[in-house]
Amino acid sequence: MRTIPVEDFNRIEEIIISCKICHVGMVDQSGIPYVLPMNFGYKEGVIYLHSAQEGSSISILEFNPNICITFCTDTKLLWQNEEVACSYRMNCESAICHGKVVFEEDFDEKVKALNIIMSQYSSREFSYSDPSVNNVKIWKVNIDKYSAKVFGAPGKKPSIFTSK
Ligand SMILES: Cc1cc2nc3c(=O)[nH]c(=O)nc-3n(C[C@H](O)[C@H](O)[C@H](O)COP(=O)(O)OP(=O)(O)OC[C@H]3O[C@@H](n4cnc5c(N)ncnc54)[C@H](O)[C@@H]3O)c2cc1C
């Protein structure tokens, strides 16, 4: 499958903000990987996530805060010849970001993070009750390392591709 690396960070930001969910990978004390689908927010090189105060992911992150987050845009199935399996490809863009989770404890900063997460999904403004802010765990991830690729980009003759 034809892949094109994306070097421009602005383009990587576009990939991130065009996604509705991400997949967050972490590694537990025994070296076993654990990957969760999660909602997220993004602003200025920082990915914001939120969760309950307790759970398997929190136990893992308290031991090992390193995470790897993948984003994949909507996919489009393309092929050159419907009867030839190896002519099928999936057109999409994907980004991988590495960083360390820092749990935000400051009330006002948690509200800001919730607003950033909500702005990924809605242009409305929201208010939050004190208990809902206190009960939520906010994860902040500064992107330390990233890469992105375009997959299944049509060749020089895009008209020969068909899609569903
Ligand atoms: C589209 C989508 C978006 C989500 N967004 C968020 C979000 O923004 N914040 C958030 O906190 N949660 C989100 N979730 C739920 C999230 O994936 C986890 O289920 C949740 O965070 C609990 O994780 P935990 O490690 O605390 O699990 P625990 O409650 O400790 O789970 C116990 C066991 O259940 C299993 N399990 C947990 N989660 C999943 C899962 N997703 N699929 C299959 N098995 C599972 C695991 O084996 C785990 O060991 C989302 C789920 C989906 C599908």
Side-chain angles (χ1 to χ4, degrees), residues 14-16 18-20 71-76 91-95:
E14 284 172 15
I15 294 173
I16 292 173
S18 74
C19 293
K20 291 279 175 275
F71 299 86
C72 184
T73 61
D74 288 344
T75 54
K76 196 169 171 191
N91 177 220
C92 63
E93 296 174 345
S94 166

Side-chain angles (χ1 to χ4, degrees), residues 20-23 26 34-40 48-52 54-60 117 121 137 139:
K20 291 279 175 275
I21 64 159
C22 61
H23 287 88
M26 51 201 96
Y34 185 65
V35 182
L36 288 176
M38 292 185 79
N39 299 110
F40 70 95
Y48 295 84
L49 301 149
H50 76 308
S51 72
E54 292 174 0
S56 307
S57 56
I58 301 300
S59 306
I60 293 170
I117 294 169
Y121 302 97
K137 194 95 172 162
W139 313 9

Side-chain angles (χ1 to χ4, degrees), residues 119-139:
S119 70
Q120 179 69 19
Y121 302 97
S122 171
S123 51
R124 298 176 78 99
E125 290 196 2
F126 296 92
S127 57
Y128 314 90
S129 67
D130 287 4
S132 64
V133 175
N134 290 328
N135 291 336
V136 77
K137 194 95 172 162
I138 294 290
W139 313 9

Side-chain angles (χ1 to χ4, degrees), residues 4 17 21 23 30 40 58 88 101-103 108 122 160:
I4 306 169
I17 61 176
I21 64 159
H23 287 88
S30 310
F40 70 95
I58 301 300
Y88 279 66
V101 173
V102 174
F103 294 123
D108 294 335
S122 171
I160 60 173

Side-chain angles (χ1 to χ4, degrees), residues 25-155:
M26 51 201 96
V27 179
D28 77 10
Q29 214 154 353
S30 310
I32 305 289
Y34 185 65
V35 182
L36 288 176
M38 292 185 79
N39 299 110
F40 70 95
Y42 173 80
K43 191 174 180 187
E44 294 167 359
V46 180
I47 298 163
Y48 295 84
L49 301 149
H50 76 308
S51 72
Q53 288 281 359
E54 292 174 0
S56 307
S57 56
I58 301 300
S59 306
I60 293 170
L61 294 168
E62 282 169 348
F63 163 75
N64 179 3
N66 293 299
I67 61 172
C68 175
I69 308 178
T70 66
F71 299 86
C72 184
T73 61
D74 288 344
T75 54
K76 196 169 171 191
L77 185 63
L78 304 168
W79 61 83
Q80 279 177 294
N81 181 337
E82 198 167 8
E83 292 173 9
V84 179
C86 64
S87 80
Y88 279 66
R89 65 203 61 207
M90 195 67 91
N91 177 220
C92 63
E93 296 174 345
S94 166
I96 300 179
C97 300
H98 289 263
K100 277 186 200 303
V101 173
V102 174
F103 294 123
E104 179 60 65
E105 305 297 347
D106 180 81
F107 187 95
D108 294 335
E109 291 299 316
K110 287 173 85 174
V111 171
K112 280 187 201 166
L114 289 170
N115 284 332
I116 292 166
I117 294 169
M118 289 311 300
S119 70
Q120 179 69 19
Y121 302 97
S122 171
S123 51
R124 298 176 78 99
E125 290 196 2
F126 296 92
S127 57
Y128 314 90
S129 67
D130 287 4
S132 64
V133 175
N134 290 328
N135 291 336
V136 77
K137 194 95 172 162
I138 294 290
W139 313 9
K140 281 171 75 171
V141 185
N142 200 53
I143 300 173
D144 295 331
K145 200 174 119 197
Y146 57 84
S147 64
K149 286 187 175 186
V150 179
F151 289 86

